């Protein structure tokens, strides 16, 4: 009988207790695989160009994971035709240019920051160690891939160490919102005198 009670306690501790602790952790905002990464300092708006095009469509936005290994979208997908040039958003040094899981990837460590941007799927035209200026072409969009549902796209990522951040935060408002306002000429109104 004593052995049976001990076995029942062990089974309770092995099954019910972790479930109860997991529920308590979820209520506290902590996932089973640990708390979400710390926010860190704000992301400076250092970008001077979009990675592709002038103002590409955002096919899928930033969806931060609740936990370190949880589901989410660790970047943004920008619509781009295969063969389109991919540009670095800010000056930096290429920290990686090669293939990962069959897809071309270019990573650039941004000058004066602790941030690294990534672009994929990209056929690199730069090599590791190259210095690049803002807006400089680092590769071309590769064809294929099911990441964007058959559409051509570039997955643009941003990291601080191992923590993923929203890359759109790199864009200053004038670039994110299609540029500064412009006054258009008023036609048919006489100019003021004197």
């Amino acid at each position: 009988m004593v052995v049976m009670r001990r076995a029942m306690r062990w089974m309770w501790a092995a099954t019910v207790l972790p479930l109860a602790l997991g529920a308590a952790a979820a209520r506290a905002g902590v996932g089973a695989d640990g708390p979400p990464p710390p926010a860190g300092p704000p992301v400076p708006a250092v970008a001077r160009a979009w990675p592709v095009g002038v103002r590409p469509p955002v096919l899928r936005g930033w969806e931060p994971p609740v936990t370190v290994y949880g589901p989410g979208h660790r970047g943004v997908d920008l619509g781009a035709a295969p063969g389109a040039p991919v540009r670095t958003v800010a000056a930096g040094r290429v920290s990686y240019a090669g293939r990962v899981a069959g897809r071309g990837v270019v990573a650039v460590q941004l000058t004066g920051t602790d941030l690294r941007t990534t672009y994929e799927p990209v056929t690199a035209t730069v090599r590791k160690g190259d210095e690049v200026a803002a807006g400089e072409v680092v590769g071309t969009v590769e064809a294929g891939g099911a990441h964007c549902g058959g559409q051509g796209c570039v997955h643009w990522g941003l990291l601080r160490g191992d923590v993923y951040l929203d890359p759109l935060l790199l864009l200053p408002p004038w670039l994110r919102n299609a540029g500064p306002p412009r006054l258009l000429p008023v036609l048919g109104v006489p100019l003021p005198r004197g």
Side-chain angles (χ1 to χ4, degrees):
M1 191 61 126
V2 172
V3 172
M4 182 72 136
R5 282 189 192 134
R6 285 185 184 153
M8 296 287 281
R9 281 189 209 133
W10 181 85
M11 287 178 63
W12 180 83
T15 58
V16 175
L17 188 59
L19 291 174
L21 291 174
R27 284 190 301 274
V30 178
D33 50 0
V43 174
V46 295
R48 297 294 168 253
W50 282 88
V52 289
V54 176
R55 175 65 170 91
V58 177
L59 303 176
R60 184 172 178 194
W62 166 250
E63 299 166 18
V66 176
T67 61
V68 176
Y69 299 106
H73 192 236
R74 293 160 174 85
V76 295
D77 293 338
L78 304 173
V86 177
R87 302 174 187 284
T88 183
V89 297
R93 179 183 299 268
V94 176
S95 59
Y96 183 82
R99 304 206 67 78
V100 175
R103 295 178 3 182
V105 176
V106 174
V108 177
Q109 181 69 42
L110 302 182
T111 302
T113 73
D114 59 350
L115 301 170
R116 183 173 75 250
T117 58
T118 59
Y119 313 94
E120 63 174 289
V122 173
T123 301
T125 56
V126 292
R127 295 191 335 227
K128 181 178 179 179
D130 288 353
E131 292 283 336
V132 290
E136 186 172 332
V137 174
V138 295
T140 56
V141 178
E142 290 181 351
H147 185 75
C148 292
Q151 283 185 280
C153 78
V154 168
H155 178 83
W156 177 28
L158 176 66
L159 293 104
R160 177 178 278 132
D162 292 332
V163 177
Y164 288 89
L165 303 167
D166 182 357
L168 293 177
L169 295 174
L170 289 171
L171 298 171
W174 64 266
L175 189 55
R176 190 176 337 139
N177 299 325
R182 291 185 228 161
L183 296 176
L184 298 175
V186 179
L187 302 174
V189 175
L191 293 173
R193 294 189 187 172

